[in-house]
Amino acid sequence: MRGIFIEEDLVESFIQGSELKRDRDYFTEMTINEIENSWNVDLSAISNTGKTEKRFDFVIKTDNQIYVIETNFYASNGSKLNETARSYKTITKEVETIEGVTFVWFTDGKGWESARNNLEETFDILEHIYSINDLENGIIVKIIK
């Protein structure tokens, strides 16, 4: 369980390094309902018309875009990787129907070596899927500028 927080701390450190300020430019653990209420955007395509309450690890808000972000890093293989890849593929398709919202996924780890096909399938669909190396090379600034 602690690994979840380490990966979120890592991503947050890169977000902060991009000169974004917490609770002004980016937010942590925001639900679909909180995003909708904060910026008057309809996310019902993601929430199954309000029936599910998805929580995103991070949300970055710029003048003209909302970036909803998930982070997952896998040290070992298992069914969770395949389930996550399928789930994020679905979210990608749903978000594509919402103007002004972009889904971003930061993922990495040895676990993906055995689940390469599922990751590749999601990679083909999801424009914004990045690794730790991408974070180290300033991808956050490139995405939001």
Side-chain angles (χ1 to χ4, degrees), residues 37-133:
N37 291 337
S38 294
W39 299 297
N40 195 29
V41 61
D42 179 6
L43 300 179
S44 60
I46 304 170
S47 68
N48 191 19
T49 319
K51 295 181 183 110
T52 60
E53 186 63 272
K54 170 84 179 126
R55 179 182 307 270
F56 292 97
D57 295 329
F58 298 98
V59 176
I60 295 174
K61 176 67 175 92
T62 65
D63 290 340
N64 57 4
Q65 195 72 18
I66 299 168
Y67 298 91
V68 292
I69 301 168
E70 285 294 327
T71 60
N72 305 94
F73 296 91
Y74 297 100
S76 61
N77 61 359
S79 61
K80 181 73 174 159
L81 286 83
N82 297 328
E83 178 186 323
T84 299
R86 279 191 297 275
S87 170
Y88 290 173
K89 190 167 87 173
T90 300
I91 290 173
T92 298
K93 292 290 194 187
E94 294 164 346
V95 168
E96 286 175 351
T97 68
I98 306 168
E99 188 174 334
V101 178
T102 300
F103 177 59
V104 179
W105 183 20
F106 294 107
T107 190
D108 211 324
K110 284 222 170 266
W112 283 115
E113 290 175 5
S114 64
R116 186 179 312 239
N117 291 340
N118 280 347
L119 183 60
E120 186 174 324
E121 185 178 318
T122 304
F123 189 84
D124 290 342
I125 292 169
L126 178 53
E127 178 182 355
H128 296 286
I129 183 171
Y130 303 105
S131 67
I132 292 172
N133 186 57

Side-chain angles (χ1 to χ4, degrees), residues 134 137-145:
D134 294 319
N137 287 301
I139 195 63
I140 291 174
V141 171
K142 292 173 187 169
I143 294 170
I144 64 171
K145 298 295 178 188

Side-chain angles (χ1 to χ4, degrees), residues 1-41:
M1 188 70 170
R2 180 64 194 141
I4 293 169
F5 300 111
I6 291 171
E7 111 228 345
E8 287 178 9
D9 290 347
L10 176 68
V11 171
E12 187 167 14
S13 72
F14 284 103
I15 292 172
Q16 290 171 340
S18 301
E19 298 186 15
L20 299 173
K21 301 292 181 217
R22 188 176 190 161
D23 298 327
R24 184 192 74 194
D25 306 311
Y26 81 93
F27 306 83
T28 61
E29 299 293 326
M30 278 190 94
T31 64
I32 286 174
N33 191 47
E34 290 169 330
I35 296 166
E36 288 178 324
N37 291 337
S38 294
W39 299 297
N40 195 29
V41 61

